[in-house]
Amino acid sequence: MTDTPRHPPITPAVRDVIPQVISSRQIYSGKIVDLRVDQIVLPHGGTAFREVVQHPGAIVVAALDAEEHVYLVRQYRHPIGRYLLELPAGGLEPGEEPLAAAQRELREEVGLVADRWDHLGSFYSTPGYVSEVLHAFLARDLREVGPDPDDDEDIVVVRYPLRRLLQHPQDVPDAKTLATLLLVDIVRQGDVANTT
């Protein structure tokens, strides 16, 4: 006895077809995100509903000082009901370039400005249901100017050895922080290789 497939097999030619949206309904519009429900046509011809959290994008900054320490922020995250240590991060304002947002967030949250900026890359935070793309930056040659957090932010800045974070990633269970630290480590290894 053989199992009959529920749907016809998807051929390689069909596999990369972008599903067509046949209906879309916005069900929430907020300060940071919007939520919509799309009905799409699947590659095999059926339809499905997809909930999509629309996000304007964000930045995350690894500020690395001359002693190889990075600056983290400890703040309360209400959706999970706990405090986390994270790299400084924040959403893009309308029309704002990612580098300008990174410079703004580092100054506001940590009170630092940097003379050297490297774009480490961009990645999706949770592409299964959120459109947010994060732009990761490495900031070096740091100078203190004093923090200026938003009125609703209660942030504690923590200076932390980068080597320890890379050896104990469980200390920062935040995906954007972990991904960015991995990118920083790759860049640092390349810097060392280029100087030898």
Side-chain angles (χ1 to χ4, degrees), residues 157-188:
V157 177
V158 178
R159 185 173 173 264
Y160 214 96
L162 176 61
R163 180 180 300 270
R164 178 151 192 255
L165 285 174
L166 294 172
Q167 291 171 343
H168 302 280
Q170 67 275 12
D171 290 351
V172 283
D174 169 62
K176 70 182 177 302
T177 296
L178 293 170
T180 301
L181 290 173
L182 175 64
L183 294 170
V184 168
D185 194 40
I186 292 168
V187 167
R188 283 178 55 253

Side-chain angles (χ1 to χ4, degrees), residues 17-194:
V17 172
I18 302 296
Q20 177 187 0
V21 177
I22 55 176
S23 69
S24 185
R25 179 173 54 98
Q26 185 162 323
I27 59 174
Y28 175 77
S29 181
K31 179 181 173 186
I32 298 174
V33 298
D34 295 336
L35 176 60
R36 73 173 197 263
V37 177
D38 293 345
Q39 185 178 19
I40 62 172
V41 178
L42 300 171
H44 58 73
T47 62
F49 289 96
R50 297 289 186 257
E51 296 173 350
V52 179
V53 177
Q54 296 173 266
H55 189 284
I59 58 83
V60 56
V61 181
L64 185 65
D65 67 19
E67 289 80 36
E68 295 271 306
H69 286 69
V70 293
Y71 291 79
L72 301 168
V73 292
R74 183 179 186 271
Q75 58 187 330
Y76 177 71
R77 293 304 195 182
H78 184 70
I80 61 169
R82 63 181 281 204
Y83 285 86
L84 286 182
L85 275 177
E86 309 170 32
L87 289 173
L92 295 172
E93 302 290 338
E96 186 176 34
E97 291 296 320
L99 177 58
Q103 292 168 334
R104 172 178 51 79
E105 289 292 338
L106 184 62
R107 185 183 66 254
E108 289 177 359
E109 292 190 359
V110 184
L112 294 173
V113 295
D115 291 330
R116 181 175 172 194
W117 288 88
D118 296 303
H119 183 245
L120 299 172
S122 300
F123 52 89
Y124 295 101
S125 61
T126 315
Y129 61 93
V130 178
S131 66
E132 178 185 41
V133 62
L134 283 150
H135 307 278
F137 289 90
L138 173 58
R140 292 184 270 194
D141 300 336
L142 307 173
R143 290 179 283 121
E144 290 186 33
V145 295
D148 184 24
D150 292 337
D151 292 338
D152 63 347
E153 291 180 320
D154 183 19
I155 292 174
V156 175
V157 177
V158 178
R159 185 173 173 264
Y160 214 96
L162 176 61
R163 180 180 300 270
R164 178 151 192 255
L165 285 174
L166 294 172
Q167 291 171 343
H168 302 280
Q170 67 275 12
D171 290 351
V172 283
D174 169 62
K176 70 182 177 302
T177 296
L178 293 170
T180 301
L181 290 173
L182 175 64
L183 294 170
V184 168
D185 194 40
I186 292 168
V187 167
R188 283 178 55 253
Q189 289 176 25
D191 287 349
V192 169
N194 289 334

